[in-house]
Amino acid sequence: MSRGKQILHKLGHAVREGAKEGVEESARACYFSVYGRGFNEAAQTCREVLSDATEELLARMKSGNLSEQEQALYARLIELTAEMDERLGNAWQEEPTGDALPQPVGARSGPPTRLS
């Protein structure tokens, strides 16, 4: 099920449950849950790309077939992995905390219009 469908499903359930405050709370919790999963998936993808490259060079190093340039690349990949871990950890600490949910693209401002 797509993230959008997950959100709609959870919102629909919250609407059936009742009060406006409950709906807003459920929507906020759902949004941050999806945000967290997306952040983790993106972070994991980045780590896997670096890890695959690093492991390939390490295997070649163990067999003795690594040039000086590739050894320097291996060392730089290790540094980049550590830097990425630190930055991802810091970014996770800064997850969105606003009271309002993000507005959809093209959302109107002002009172809703009434159709006759």
Side-chain angles (χ1 to χ4, degrees), residues 17-45:
E17 291 295 316
K20 179 182 176 193
E21 294 82 23
V23 171
E24 289 174 354
E25 182 77 22
S26 293
R28 191 172 288 109
C30 179
Y31 171 76
F32 287 120
S33 172
V34 170
Y35 171 86
R37 281 196 310 273
F39 181 92
N40 286 338
E41 289 173 13
Q44 186 61 36
T45 299

Side-chain angles (χ1 to χ4, degrees), residues 29-105:
C30 179
Y31 171 76
F32 287 120
S33 172
V34 170
Y35 171 86
R37 281 196 310 273
F39 181 92
N40 286 338
E41 289 173 13
Q44 186 61 36
T45 299
C46 293
R47 291 281 288 123
E48 286 174 3
V49 168
L50 285 177
S51 179
D52 290 349
T54 304
E55 288 175 14
E56 180 183 329
L57 289 172
L58 180 60
R60 290 183 56 205
M61 186 185 307
K62 288 180 180 180
S63 69
N65 295 329
L66 206 59
S67 69
E68 285 185 29
Q69 186 178 15
E70 289 170 321
Q71 290 175 26
L73 175 60
Y74 175 79
R76 182 65 180 138
L77 285 172
I78 297 297
E79 292 170 355
L80 288 172
T81 301
E83 183 177 341
M84 183 180 292
D85 286 343
E86 181 180 345
R87 288 187 184 194
L88 288 171
N90 291 339
W92 182 249
Q93 299 302 321
E94 298 170 8
E95 82 178 63
T97 57
D99 287 333
L101 292 172
Q103 295 298 311
V105 174

Side-chain angles (χ1 to χ4, degrees), residues 3 33 108 114:
R3 287 195 176 106
S33 172
R108 293 187 206 178
R114 186 171 182 188

